[in-house]
Amino acid sequence: MPVALSALPALPALPKRVKIIEVGPRDGLQNEPQTIPADIKITLVDMLTQAGFANIEAAAFVSPKWVPQMATSSEVMHGIRRKPGTLYSALVPNQKGFDAALEAGVDEIVIFGAASEAFSQKNINCSIAESIARFRDVAQAAKEQKLRLRGAVSCALGCPYQGEVAADSVADVVARLRDLGCDEIDIADTIGVGTPRKVQTIFERASKEFPIERLSGHFHDTYGQALANIYASLEVGVLIFHASVAGLGGCPYAKGATGNVATEDVLYLMNGLGIETGIDLAQVVKAGQYISQHLGRLPASRAGNALAARVQA
Ligand SMILES: CC(C)(COP(=O)([O-])OP(=O)([O-])OC[C@H]1O[C@@H](n2cnc3c(N)ncnc32)[C@H](O)[C@@H]1OP(=O)([O-])[O-])[C@@H](O)C(=O)NCCC(=O)NCCSC(=O)C[C@@](C)(O)CC(=O)[O-]
């Protein structure tokens, strides 16, 4: 017997506005096997800037031996047309990366740790404790230069090497990044294994260490759960989400992990819910088509492909 809509309990209130951080140029492209010329990356960042993102993760100043695709980061940062008010972020693992990021004019430094020891070793070649010690100098340098500082917690919903990750382990890394002075902290589902209730549990536990308004959801869509996880995060008060144009991506140290949730899909969801983002979906669709054409494949965004087909019809 179906239940009348009016008899159902009221849904939790949703926010009126969220911030979407576009991570396609970094997380999206870092794992592409073909070398992507800097000018293509620059055009992509410029198109995303025009679409209205307040924050774009454009680069990573990491070892080119570990992630060759990011070797053009300095060229990219020097080549983009910056819009006043837009923050351009970059991943920085150590002092060498910080010096290069500073020279390239990065606005926001992203230090990236993990809630899993095994992933920390594979990704940045050190333990969680060692990573925090390395990040301390980077964090201090960022503060001295008055740069924004963001921290990422990979494998917050599960690890490709160790499997389950405890909510307390996530909260512990969140607390350590908070103590380094992070302005924002990302809860990252690196391999896309999270499901809505688990996501809510992790955010609720993490928010005991750091304000929920400054925690963000970084969801990969490997198991098709990303949009459901975003909705579940909205219900518990998360206001910042990461997304990747055309669903680009995958982490080089998380085998089989697919891209981040597609930005076009997230914007379509937010528009439908009446939640403001300040971003022009039609322009993001064009940016997704631009980069996908260069990569020789269709965008991995359901909404993006549907909207593009409507324009062509
Ligand atoms: C952390 C290190 C450097 C340690 O790497 P290492 O090999 O232990 O470090 P090292 O200090 O021994 O240096 C080795 C070589 O790299 C050079 N080097 C050292 N640092 C830099 C630097 N900053 N920039 C340029 N070069 C650098 C250094 O100069 C040296 O060169 P050599 O003397 O052999 O010619 C390395 O493991 C690394 O770069 N890892 C990066 C891994 C990475 O980028 N992973 C993907 C991003 S994380 C991610 O995607 C997850 C996230 C954030 O999206 C959220 C999610 O979804 O989970």
Side-chain angles (χ1 to χ4, degrees):
M1 183 77 170
V3 182
L5 206 53
S6 55
L8 291 172
L11 290 169
L14 298 180
K16 296 214 173 342
R17 191 176 174 91
V18 294
K19 176 167 84 168
I20 309 288
I21 302 182
E22 171 57 50
V23 298
R26 195 284 302 171
D27 203 354
L29 295 183
Q30 70 181 7
N31 203 30
E32 281 298 328
Q34 55 170 299
T35 306
I36 303 162
D39 62 318
I40 301 283
K41 296 178 186 170
I42 290 167
T43 302
L44 176 65
V45 174
D46 287 348
M47 290 178 87
L48 295 166
T49 298
Q50 287 313 313
F53 290 94
N55 192 327
I56 300 174
E57 200 168 279
F61 291 90
V62 297
S63 168
K65 288 186 184 147
W66 285 67
V67 186
Q69 191 64 255
M70 289 291 109
T72 50
S73 287
S74 185
E75 212 178 327
V76 170
M77 284 303 302
H78 282 294
I80 57 176
R81 258 177 291 164
R82 287 158 183 263
K83 189 162 122 189
T86 303
L87 291 179
Y88 298 91
S89 318
L91 260 57
V92 169
N94 52 20
Q95 188 63 40
K96 182 168 182 158
F98 180 82
D99 293 342
L102 185 66
E103 190 280 328
V106 166
D107 301 304
E108 183 183 59
I109 300 295
V110 184
I111 47 181
F112 52 107
S116 138
E117 283 294 350
F119 187 82
S120 181
Q121 287 291 353
K122 294 271 183 196
N123 196 37
I124 48 175
N125 206 20
C126 63
S127 68
I128 296 173
E130 285 163 345
S131 74
I132 298 295
R134 272 188 208 166
F135 294 151
R136 188 160 291 119
D137 290 343
V138 175
Q140 199 181 329
K143 294 284 159 191
E144 278 165 15
Q145 295 295 332
K146 305 215 174 342
L147 296 177
R148 228 173 165 273
L149 182 68
R150 174 148 64 81
V153 185
S154 287
C155 296
L157 276 301
C159 169
Y161 308 106
Q162 84 171 45
E164 282 295 314
V165 172
D168 283 347
S169 307
V170 178
D172 178 53
V173 180
V174 166
R176 295 195 212 191
L177 291 171
R178 174 203 63 207
D179 293 345
L180 294 183
C182 285
D183 299 298
E184 219 167 280
I185 298 177
D186 314 328
I187 300 296
D189 187 5
T190 313
I191 52 169
V193 288
T195 47
R197 287 283 179 248
K198 183 148 188 220
V199 166
Q200 290 181 332
T201 304
I202 295 291
F203 272 114
E204 274 165 3
R205 177 66 189 85
S207 67
K208 292 195 166 72
E209 308 297 340
F210 195 71
I212 191 102
E213 317 80 64
R214 293 195 281 132
L215 286 172
S216 70
H218 176 112
F219 297 109
H220 286 258
D221 203 23
T222 319
Y223 290 83
Q225 302 299 300
L227 283 183
N229 290 338
I230 288 175
Y231 194 92
S233 308
L234 287 170
E235 287 188 327
V236 295
V238 178
L239 298 173
I240 309 166
F241 297 98
H242 295 192
S244 181
V245 63
L248 297 170
C251 177
Y253 299 99
K255 228 174 180 209
T258 61
N260 290 89
V261 63
T263 312
E264 299 89 319
D265 296 353
V266 177
L267 293 176
Y268 186 85
L269 173 71
M270 296 301 168
N271 289 351
L273 292 170
I275 298 174
E276 281 175 42
T277 62
I279 298 157
D280 181 343
L281 172 54
Q283 290 202 47
V284 180
V285 172
K286 281 191 194 148
Q289 287 190 305
Y290 167 78
I291 190 64
S292 301
Q293 208 170 9
H294 180 80
L295 297 171
R297 57 175 190 254
L298 264 182
S301 163
R302 303 283 282 269
N305 291 338
L307 290 166
R310 240 163 55 184
V311 170
Q312 281 153 17

